[in-house]
Amino acid sequence: MGSQKRIAKELSELVESPPEGIIVELADEANLYKWKVFMEGPEGSPYQGGKFLVNLTLPTEYPFKPPTVSFGTKIYHPNVTNDEKGSMCLGMLRADEWKPSSKIAAVLQFARQLLQEPMPDDAIEGRIAQQYKNDRKRYDEIARDWTRKWAVSE
Amino acid sequence: MADQGDRVFCHACGGVWLLDTGEDGHDNSQTCPHCESDFTEIIEIPPDSPQPEPAAEPHLPSVNPWADHNPWAQQESTRPQTSGWMESGSPGYSHRSYRSPDGRFTFSSTTIGGGYSSRQDAQPNPMLPFMVQSLDTLFQGLAGTHDGHQTQRGPGMNVHPYPHAAGMREPDVMHDPFQAEDEHARRHEGLYPHDTNGPQDMTAPLQTLADLLEAFQGISGAQRGTARNPAENPFAMLSALMRNNDAVYSQEELDRVISQLIDHTQQGTAPPPASDTAIQSLPKKKMTPQMMGSDGKAECSICMDPVELDTEVTVLPCTHWFHFDCIKAWLSQHNTCPHCRRSIDLPGVTSTNTGAGTSENPVVIPDSPPASPQRQRRRSSPFTSRSIRSARSSISRSSHNSTSPEMGGESGTRRGSRSESSRGGITGWVWSRFGGGGGASS
């Protein structure tokens, strides 16, 4: 299948020259469509020091359908659902925004950028977005707290 | 404080009780103490409207077997009751909320019931439009009917006439056969304090469109008399819509609704697929050195396979190119360029364009293969970039004077070739004319 070839290619590129703060591996060596991504919290963000597991799932129609990105590590963020799914809302991953020429590397870098700069106007957790906008200090505090609690392994 | 606690209404048995406001939160006490059902709903009374209940409550102490369970009810019932309340049956407003079992979702709704009625009591203004009162009555009827369905059978069942007016008994919710009627009434009082249940026949519940129209008639005189008809279906539909659409009772339901909405949105805004003919008629060409990247490499941005010089690719109107199979797979889902999202159905470059049309539009010509030097092609040797450049410049210079005469002279041939491959533009014409691209272009 064409998609497998492209996925394998993207994977090897990502493994050989990983983008900053992003480590990629297959969740299961036999399955190209499920990736485990470890994302370091960007410096200067309240997520700094944390290491977040991001599950990347590729549809069989990839690259014609977008991958889905979800956080396996609990994270306090306006654009990540605060539930066991940890779904991340990325504009470029919406079906009507997705372009097959987007690479997974770009998706992951965008996701990490979102940790640095949340997009409260495109939020999935409205309450956190409100707090981010109105009470940044408290948001930083909680996000740091959560990072320490969930994303820092001893 | 106990008076201010949330009251909970049980949809299964109609019981109302005070929520335990213990330290450990509300969730554990939301199960009905009477029937153990968790199909319950918190009814909140806004703190700033302390008298919404009197109209609804006066009978409670005497007829309600559970009145003792509800300290709030007793307290409220001691308040004076005015006839104005009964007629309009409208307290200030009522606030309802539903909390999902795990407490993560809360629905709440505020019903502005009869702000007018209370004002009417305070200031008997003759200017107060009679209409308002009638509308009031109308909405009460709506609410009552809606409530009736929900209460008696729960969600998901068919609409049936409001049994309240007929005094119909409901064996499935009856606890005490002798008090069924009272329980029924009390249930409504618990949920909708503004419902006119005291003297039950003072405001007939609205159940048909005819009733609605009648109410409107009261407002606007006999003008609407002609529109009267006994059609029940429109209102039944309305009622069903209200019931099914404005409430979900579990998180799964909510998730389902939300994902449905998301799906709809995505389908709604994604670009539509391109037609097969549009895909087939896209121009193809061989990779030229100009199309390669600065490092002399190029890849199809769909499959990300490297594309070598002279490989045939399909070019979109926006000049982005892809493997035909790759772009076909994408275009059969969306008619935009996977790279820049420009539509492939651009005016002037559509499949209906003929060679004659595009010969006036030299934009596509630089993208066409070096077709005029037929000899070079026959040599079937890779072009040097110099020869291509000269070819390209020569074709743009010579396209009009060199092709036009041939078009006149060999129109038969040309027409045949055009219909055989509907590649648009001068490119297509030139390709079919000179057999450019070898086997791939035939």
Side-chain angles (χ1 to χ4, degrees):
Chain A
M1 263 186 76
S3 70
Q4 289 200 2
K5 202 171 163 194
R6 168 166 166 172
I7 294 170
K9 193 170 171 181
E10 290 201 62
L11 178 65
S12 66
E13 271 176 20
L14 276 166
V15 169
E16 274 164 34
S17 52
E20 191 195 345
I22 294 173
I23 299 163
V24 171
E25 61 186 54
L26 284 181
D28 167 9
E29 285 299 326
N31 183 358
L32 265 177
Y33 295 92
K34 293 222 183 293
W35 294 22
K36 269 163 79 176
V37 181
F38 294 98
M39 198 173 283
E40 287 168 20
E43 255 174 65
S45 75
Y47 312 104
Q48 182 177 350
K51 196 176 176 191
F52 297 88
L53 169 65
V54 174
N55 295 305
L56 185 112
T57 309
L58 297 155
T60 45
E61 296 96 333
Y62 184 82
F64 300 108
K65 291 269 158 57
T68 52
V69 171
S70 67
F71 272 76
T73 308
K74 226 165 143 53
I75 183 169
Y76 190 79
H77 193 283
N79 304 99
V80 181
T81 59
N82 184 10
D83 58 13
E84 66 283 351
K85 292 195 188 91
S87 315
M88 184 171 220
C89 183
L90 284 181
M92 68 190 293
L93 297 187
R94 292 220 317 268
D96 51 343
E97 295 261 332
W98 172 252
K99 312 190 282 194
S101 55
S102 313
K103 291 190 177 189
I104 296 172
V107 170
L108 294 177
Q109 278 168 311
F110 191 82
R112 188 160 182 264
Q113 179 63 25
L114 205 54
L115 295 191
Q116 185 108 39
E117 286 172 48
M119 303 203 302
D121 294 327
D122 205 8
I124 202 161
E125 290 287 342
R127 200 183 49 78
I128 304 179
Q130 279 305 316
Q131 190 183 52
Y132 178 81
K133 284 203 268 194
N134 303 329
D135 189 359
R136 177 73 72 88
K137 212 174 140 215
R138 182 85 187 111
Y139 155 80
D140 278 348
E141 231 170 73
I142 301 179
R144 245 195 311 274
D145 246 31
W146 282 37
T147 303
R148 221 172 304 144
K149 198 164 166 192
W150 308 102
V152 178
S153 52
E154 301 307 318
Chain B
M1 187 57 217
D3 287 320
Q4 298 303 318
D6 285 341
R7 263 152 295 151
V8 185
F9 172 81
C10 174
H11 286 268
C13 71
V16 177
W17 69 99
L18 261 183
L19 195 59
D20 180 22
T21 51
E23 294 284 278
D24 51 339
H26 302 289
D27 295 344
N28 52 356
S29 55
Q30 253 191 267
T31 309
C32 176
H34 305 293
C35 67
E36 306 278 303
S37 163
D38 58 0
F39 186 25
T40 59
E41 182 180 27
I42 294 178
I43 320 163
E44 286 169 30
I45 300 299
D48 54 343
S49 66
Q51 318 110 294
E53 291 82 15
E57 296 300 332
H59 300 271
L60 283 184
S62 54
V63 297
N64 181 5
W66 295 329
D68 290 341
H69 296 298
N70 194 344
W72 156 78
Q74 283 187 324
Q75 176 129 353
E76 294 294 309
S77 66
T78 61
R79 295 196 178 154
Q81 172 204 345
T82 64
S83 60
W85 288 108
M86 296 310 298
E87 270 172 28
S88 62
S90 308
Y93 59 93
S94 70
H95 187 77
R96 313 173 51 202
S97 76
Y98 165 73
R99 209 174 285 176
S100 66
D102 59 359
R104 288 189 43 239
F105 286 97
T106 304
F107 293 95
S108 60
S109 67
T110 303
T111 310
I112 310 293
Y116 280 106
S117 324
S118 41
R119 240 176 285 159
Q120 196 180 13
D121 287 337
Q123 36 151 9
N125 187 353
M127 292 299 287
L128 181 75
F130 175 59
M131 199 176 137
V132 170
Q133 248 183 318
S134 301
L135 281 177
D136 222 34
T137 315
L138 201 86
F139 287 129
Q140 284 159 31
L142 284 170
T145 309
H146 181 156
D147 171 41
H149 296 311
Q150 268 192 350
T151 311
Q152 287 144 19
R153 319 272 176 199
M157 28 132 350
N158 289 330
V159 176
H160 57 84
Y162 189 61
H164 195 197
M168 185 197 295
R169 299 199 167 188
E170 306 139 15
D172 53 337
V173 296
M174 228 185 263
H175 296 277
D176 179 347
F178 301 106
Q179 296 201 338
E181 204 77 53
D182 293 328
E183 278 182 34
H184 189 175
R186 196 200 51 74
R187 272 209 313 278
H188 287 278
E189 285 160 356
L191 234 198
Y192 290 95
H194 57 281
D195 204 352
T196 57
N197 287 305
Q200 294 216 350
D201 34 4
M202 279 192 84
T203 311
L206 298 157
Q207 52 178 320
T208 63
L209 183 60
D211 285 331
L212 280 168
L213 289 169
E214 198 169 84
F216 274 113
Q217 262 189 314
I219 299 164
S220 59
Q223 287 166 353
R224 291 168 193 260
T226 50
R228 243 185 125 157
N229 70 63
E232 292 184 41
N233 281 348
F235 185 67
M237 277 168 61
L238 176 68
S239 181
L241 281 173
M242 287 169 71
R243 193 187 64 241
N244 291 336
N245 285 358
D246 67 356
V248 288
Y249 292 95
S250 69
Q251 197 187 331
E252 289 72 31
E253 279 283 286
L254 181 71
D255 286 347
R256 194 179 52 76
V257 168
I258 288 175
S259 45
Q260 255 178 13
L261 286 172
I262 291 172
D263 287 350
H264 278 297
T265 319
Q266 289 184 340
Q267 281 161 11
T269 54
S275 71
D276 206 42
T277 46
I279 297 173
Q280 294 295 336
S281 59
L282 286 167
K284 292 179 180 132
K285 62 183 278 191
K286 285 195 171 185
M287 288 294 291
T288 63
Q290 281 83 7
M291 288 160 74
M292 309 299 269
S294 50
D295 53 353
K297 287 182 189 155
E299 59 181 27
C300 168
S301 65
I302 292 179
C303 64
M304 302 212 169
D305 274 349
V307 176
E308 306 294 334
L309 208 62
D310 271 351
T311 312
E312 190 187 67
V313 292
T314 298
V315 186
L316 300 191
C318 53
T319 74
H320 289 120
W321 51 265
F322 309 89
H323 286 129
F324 177 74
D325 289 340
C326 295
I327 193 63
K328 184 170 181 252
W330 170 254
L331 289 175
S332 52
Q333 293 175 25
H334 308 288
N335 65 351
T336 54
C337 170
H339 208 78
C340 64
R341 308 194 71 86
R342 247 172 83 183
S343 168
I344 65 158
D345 301 324
L346 288 176
V349 206
T350 58
S351 56
T352 54
N353 251 322
T354 61
T358 34
S359 71
E360 295 159 15
N361 177 12
V363 178
V364 296
I365 290 173
D367 273 339
S368 60
S372 65
Q374 213 168 339
R375 281 167 292 118
Q376 286 185 353
R377 191 166 286 282
R378 288 218 177 107
R379 265 188 281 150
S380 75
S381 62
F383 300 128
T384 65
S385 56
R386 200 180 130 266
S387 74
I388 288 166
R389 255 194 290 279
S390 65
R392 292 165 73 86
S393 59
S394 80
I395 194 174
S396 54
R397 255 185 283 110
S398 67
S399 60
H400 292 305
N401 47 14
S402 75
T403 57
S404 298
E406 291 177 46
M407 276 159 58
E410 305 173 38
S411 63
T413 324
R414 190 177 154 268
R415 247 168 244 299
S417 62
R418 201 202 311 170
S419 59
E420 149 207 314
S421 80
S422 54
R423 259 191 224 105
I426 185 90
T427 315
W429 180 80
V430 165
W431 274 68
S432 56
R433 185 89 184 77
F434 296 104
S441 80
S442 63

